[in-house]
Amino acid sequence: MRNLFICFSICILISHSYTAARGESLELISISNQGESLYPTEFSSFFKDTTNSLSIRDVLELDASDFNTIGNKIFNERASTAPIWIRFQVKNEIEESVYIDLGNAFYTWNAEIFIVNNNAPLPNSVHTGTFSGSTEHKISNHFIAPLDIERGQEYTVFVKLYSEAPKIHVFKIGTLKHLIKELRVDEYAVGGFITLIICMFLYNLFLYISVRESIYLFYLFHLTTALFNTTFINGNSFFTDTWFWEYLSVWVSLGYLSVALFTDKYLQLKTNAPKLRIAIWSLTGIIVVIIPLLLLIGASDRITLNSILQLFTIIFSVLILSTGTYLWIKGHRFARFYVLGWSATLLSLIMFILLLNGVIPINDFTMHSTYLGVALEALLFAFALGDRINDLKEETEQAQLKNLELVTSYNEKLEKSVEEKTRALNLSQQQLINSEKMASLGMMAGGISHEINNPLNIIQGGVFHFKNNLEESDNGTTEEDFEVIDSMTDSIQRVARIVKALNVYNRFNEVSLSDCDIHYILDGSISLFQDRLNDIEIVKEYDTSGKMVKCDEGKLHQVFMNIISNSVDAITGKGRITIGTTFSDNEVKIVISDNGPGIANDSLQKIFDPFYTTKELGKGTGLGLSITQNIVIELGGSIEVSSQEGEGASFIISFYNPEFVG
């Protein structure tokens, strides 16, 4: 950005010219014993020799109306090939020798001084000397020459300036001691600025070596062009040959290149503002490549090209400032230092322009405001780089934290997956164990039923025989005897039903379907819970059609048992279990309901999940309903549950398109 300041300032100087009043008489400058130098240009007028052929005698013959009044302590005229003649009147009232400081030697390639004694009968000029960039008549890069004027005499001094560069001069008249003292201030300002830039260059070079961030290289390039161009615009260029001005567009383009590189890298335009990045680099291409190329091949004169450069300077300056402001508004915190740094340079530019036009006074501060603005910008950009490194560090830490979160999340998912696989494996293992248990139970039930049936048949036969004998006997048989025999008969039949129900488990692992009586299987399942029913009433609402269906009797028996068992466990004290069946052409539906406490809403969604149970610890594994659901699905049906907390629960088992028998 400081390079933009340099370029913009140069273009302002190139385009600026006076529109002063013409033909006014000159005010006499009196040199007395005051402690500071005088500014003669404030009381001077100038004439532009567009013919480039006038001598001092020709100029003396000019009318006063041919001259333009300057009226400012700074003489500022646009670049041209025409010599400039400046004149002022002076009277010496001190004993010491008087000297004139023509200002910075860099802006003037040749200067000649002529002195005319106003008191002489005929005007006669004295040629003090010719000064050029190679002359030795310089102090601190300024043209300083003695004025051979006697005390008490009035003189008109003519200064002829020639340069294709802009004419920027602050003429001073005073003793050599005073002039040198004032030049020391300029030397201190320049020396301090150069020292600051070099220190920052070395410091950031060390940082680059340490962190190896490419943005530091662009910043170092930026500092180099700033050091070169800032001293140039203030007339303290490292190169004083005329060829530097002749190829000004070439050297200035390096400043634009450093600005574009630093802006692109620091603001991360490729990511944050790709369209603005294209616009910035398009302008940079015109300034860095096209304009210097036109100058080198001689396609246009230097002054015209510099005017074109002015236009692109303004556009480029507005564009990069707008880009930084846009990103700052968008929330990119690091852009604030960029905008503040450029604003500091812009403020010093405005101050410099006001100084050239006489709006603000000349003093040590305003004369060196450009150094202050560029130095402040350099410091702000140094802070910006430090802040940017901190942002990058923070972004790196956030990226590492995000990676850690991703790894943690992946581990959690992996653990959850392993847990689910483990639960599925445990479920499969439990089902296998249950299958083996059911198989063992079936084998045991078959053996027990066989062993019980034989003596049970003998007992039943004996009871029948004993009952027949009592009916035929006349030996005082009473009704009480027959009641005992009927009670024994009922008990034997109950045992027979239990044994028959146990035989179902003997066929649990059979895969072939058989003719199943749904009601018979339900009754068999109920009979196994007779000792647990106590005050629980069983209500049967069977479909009267009572159709037989093809099904797996053993697995269907286990489904009913699991659901009835849960209903029995859910009821405390008196209660009711209602079992209903419905047969239609395309569906068999079994509904088992209870009036227990019901199931909570949050548990309804998980009621069929493996290992989920609402029973107390040690009273359930959470596998019963999960196994029940798997069996029903395996048999080609579905199972649903409906419940409201406090109003019981209903399990609906449906088999679609069953194969009826008979």
Side-chain angles (χ1 to χ4, degrees):
M1 269 56 63
R2 65 198 63 141
N3 297 292
L4 289 178
F5 163 75
I6 304 305
C7 303
F8 194 52
S9 300
I10 292 171
C11 293
I12 290 174
L13 301 178
I14 291 171
S15 61
H16 184 79
S17 64
Y18 287 103
T19 57
R22 304 173 65 89
E24 296 181 0
S25 61
L26 297 176
E27 183 177 343
L28 182 64
I29 303 171
S30 179
I31 304 174
S32 61
N33 287 320
Q34 55 188 6
E36 61 181 17
S37 303
L38 301 176
Y39 295 90
T41 48
E42 189 175 9
F43 311 102
S44 303
S45 60
F46 77 98
F47 169 77
K48 181 184 291 187
D49 179 11
T50 56
T51 64
N52 198 9
S53 62
L54 298 182
S55 65
I56 182 60
R57 292 199 173 275
D58 297 326
V59 173
L60 286 173
E61 294 176 359
L62 294 174
D63 189 82
S65 61
D66 294 325
F67 286 82
N68 294 322
T69 301
I70 297 177
N72 190 6
K73 292 181 180 180
I74 299 178
F75 175 67
N76 176 27
E77 177 66 5
R78 72 175 63 185
S80 69
T81 58
I84 300 293
W85 289 84
I86 298 176
R87 68 169 187 167
F88 57 89
Q89 292 185 355
V90 62
K91 180 180 181 180
N92 182 16
E93 296 182 0
I94 62 175
E95 294 289 344
E96 298 179 62
S97 299
V98 177
Y99 286 77
I100 181 171
D101 179 2
L102 298 182
N104 199 282
F106 180 59
Y107 292 109
T108 299
W109 300 350
N110 293 94
E112 294 183 76
I113 301 175
F114 301 89
I115 301 174
V116 178
N117 190 337
N118 295 344
N119 298 322
L122 293 175
N124 187 25
S125 66
V126 176
H127 186 197
T128 300
T130 301
F131 307 91
S132 67
S134 60
T135 184
E136 298 298 328
H137 299 281
K138 290 191 296 182
I139 300 177
S140 186
N141 204 34
H142 280 230
F143 283 140
I144 296 180
L147 291 179
D148 188 12
I149 55 178
E150 298 178 4
R151 183 179 180 182
Q153 298 292 316
E154 296 182 6
Y155 296 87
T156 301
V157 179
F158 290 85
V159 180
K160 179 183 179 182
L161 304 173
Y162 173 78
S163 167
E164 291 185 15
K167 314 300 188 297
I168 307 172
H169 292 277
V170 181
F171 289 179
K172 291 182 181 181
I173 295 178
T175 64
L176 185 60
K177 178 182 177 181
H178 287 153
L179 292 177
I180 293 177
K181 181 180 178 181
E182 293 171 2
L183 288 176
R184 290 289 180 264
V185 177
D186 184 67
E187 290 179 348
Y188 295 151
V190 176
F193 174 77
I194 294 175
T195 301
L196 175 64
I197 297 299
I198 291 176
C199 289
M200 294 185 65
F201 183 93
L202 295 176
Y203 174 71
N204 285 277
L205 178 62
F206 172 76
L207 290 179
Y208 168 71
I209 296 173
S210 301
V211 300
R212 294 293 179 179
E213 286 286 343
S214 60
I215 191 172
Y216 280 99
L217 285 179
F218 299 139
Y219 183 60
L220 293 174
F221 181 35
H222 199 44
L223 287 175
T224 303
T225 56
L227 178 63
F228 180 81
N229 287 332
T230 306
T231 53
F232 159 74
I233 192 60
N234 284 276
N236 294 284
S237 176
F238 294 102
F239 306 99
T240 58
D241 294 328
T242 57
W243 57 265
F244 183 79
W245 269 108
E246 292 175 357
Y247 299 100
L248 172 65
S249 299
V250 178
W251 320 129
V252 167
S253 67
L254 296 177
Y256 283 97
L257 182 60
S258 70
V259 170
L261 289 171
F262 182 81
T263 301
D264 190 2
K265 184 67 175 179
Y266 179 76
L267 296 180
Q268 296 180 322
L269 297 181
K270 186 175 183 180
T271 303
N272 298 326
K275 293 183 179 179
L276 290 174
R277 179 175 184 260
I278 294 173
I280 289 174
W281 278 109
S282 298
L283 285 174
T284 304
I286 294 173
I287 297 169
V288 175
V289 179
I290 297 178
I291 293 180
L293 184 61
L294 292 175
L295 176 64
L296 293 174
I297 64 177
S300 179
D301 62 272
R302 290 185 294 274
I303 297 176
T304 302
L305 286 177
N306 287 334
S307 298
I308 296 174
L309 183 62
Q310 173 190 4
L311 174 63
F312 286 104
T313 298
I314 297 172
I315 298 174
F316 194 89
S317 303
V318 172
L319 181 60
I320 63 169
L321 181 60
S322 302
T323 300
T325 306
Y326 165 73
L327 294 179
W328 190 2
I329 294 174
K330 278 188 64 178
H332 295 283
R333 188 172 60 92
F334 58 85
R336 69 188 188 281
F337 282 111
Y338 181 90
V339 175
L340 292 175
W342 171 241
S343 298
T345 305
L346 187 60
L347 183 62
S348 64
L349 170 61
I350 294 173
M351 187 178 296
F352 182 72
I353 296 172
L354 295 177
L355 178 65
L356 291 180
N357 290 276
V359 178
I360 58 177
I362 293 179
N363 53 49
D364 291 336
F365 175 75
T366 56
M367 284 293 293
H368 302 99
S369 60
T370 54
Y371 289 120
L372 180 61
V374 173
L376 183 59
E377 182 209 46
L379 289 172
L380 285 171
F381 281 178
F383 292 148
L385 285 178
D387 185 68
R388 185 68 185 128
I389 293 299
N390 291 333
D391 287 345
L392 290 174
K393 182 179 179 181
E394 184 178 346
E395 290 174 2
T396 302
E397 291 176 352
Q398 290 178 353
Q400 292 175 347
L401 181 60
K402 186 175 181 180
N403 291 335
L404 181 61
E405 291 176 352
L406 290 174
V407 171
T408 303
S409 176
Y410 177 77
N411 289 338
E412 290 176 353
K413 290 181 180 179
L414 183 61
E415 290 176 1
K416 185 176 180 180
S417 177
V418 171
E419 182 180 350
E420 291 176 353
K421 295 293 183 182
T422 303
R423 292 178 63 183
L425 181 61
N426 291 338
L427 176 61
S428 300
Q429 184 179 9
Q430 190 66 37
Q431 289 176 336
L432 180 61
I433 293 173
N434 288 341
S435 298
E436 293 177 352
K437 285 182 178 180
M438 294 300 294
S440 299
L441 180 61
M443 294 176 62
M444 183 178 67
I448 291 174
S449 63
H450 177 73
E451 295 297 329
I452 293 177
N453 275 333
N454 289 332
L456 190 63
N457 289 332
I458 295 173
I459 293 172
Q460 187 174 12
V463 170
F464 288 155
H465 177 72
F466 184 63
K467 182 178 180 180
N468 291 332
N469 289 337
L470 287 178
E471 291 175 349
E472 295 174 358
S473 174
D474 295 328
N475 296 330
T477 303
T478 64
E479 288 294 329
E480 194 173 311
D481 294 332
F482 284 102
E483 289 178 0
V484 171
I485 291 175
D486 289 340
S487 176
M488 293 175 62
T489 301
D490 290 339
S491 297
I492 291 171
Q493 290 176 351
R494 181 182 176 188
V495 172
R497 286 196 300 271
I498 292 173
V499 171
K500 191 170 185 180
L502 285 174
N503 282 332
V504 175
Y505 289 101
N506 194 30
R507 298 185 294 274
F508 179 77
N509 285 329
E510 294 179 3
V511 296
S512 59
L513 302 178
S514 60
D515 298 344
C516 296
D517 185 345
I518 301 294
H519 297 163
Y520 172 77
I521 298 173
L522 284 170
D523 290 340
S525 300
I526 295 171
S527 66
L528 294 177
F529 294 96
Q530 287 297 330
D531 59 332
R532 295 175 55 192
L533 293 177
N534 298 326
D535 295 332
I536 300 175
E537 178 188 3
I538 300 295
V539 179
K540 299 178 182 180
E541 298 178 352
Y542 292 166
D543 192 318
T544 56
S545 61
K547 297 180 180 179
M548 302 280 288
V549 296
K550 286 284 186 181
C551 197
D552 190 317
E553 184 176 349
K555 293 182 179 179
L556 196 58
H557 191 84
Q558 185 179 5
V559 169
F560 296 154
M561 280 186 59
N562 285 341
I563 297 176
I564 294 172
S565 175
N566 284 341
S567 296
V568 172
D569 290 339
I571 298 174
T572 57
K574 291 185 179 182
R576 182 178 67 256
I577 298 176
T578 302
I579 304 175
T581 60
T582 303
F583 294 88
S584 63
D585 293 339
N586 56 1
E587 183 183 19
V588 174
K589 180 179 292 185
I590 303 99
V591 180
I592 302 175
S593 305
D594 63 67
N595 63 347
I599 304 171
N601 289 332
D602 57 343
S603 297
L604 278 176
Q605 304 297 326
K606 301 177 285 185
I607 197 70
F608 294 110
D609 290 351
F611 304 103
Y612 179 78
T613 179
T614 58
K615 297 179 181 179
E616 297 179 5
L617 185 64
K619 292 189 177 182
T621 62
L623 290 171
L625 289 178
S626 175
I627 294 174
T628 298
Q629 184 184 47
N630 290 338
I631 293 175
V632 172
I633 293 174
E634 181 184 358
L635 296 177
S638 66
I639 181 171
E640 298 175 357
V641 60
S642 64
S643 175
Q644 289 188 0
E645 199 167 359
E647 298 184 7
S650 297
F651 287 85
I652 302 98
I653 304 168
S654 301
F655 295 101
Y656 307 102
N657 300 316
E659 182 181 351
F660 293 105
V661 180

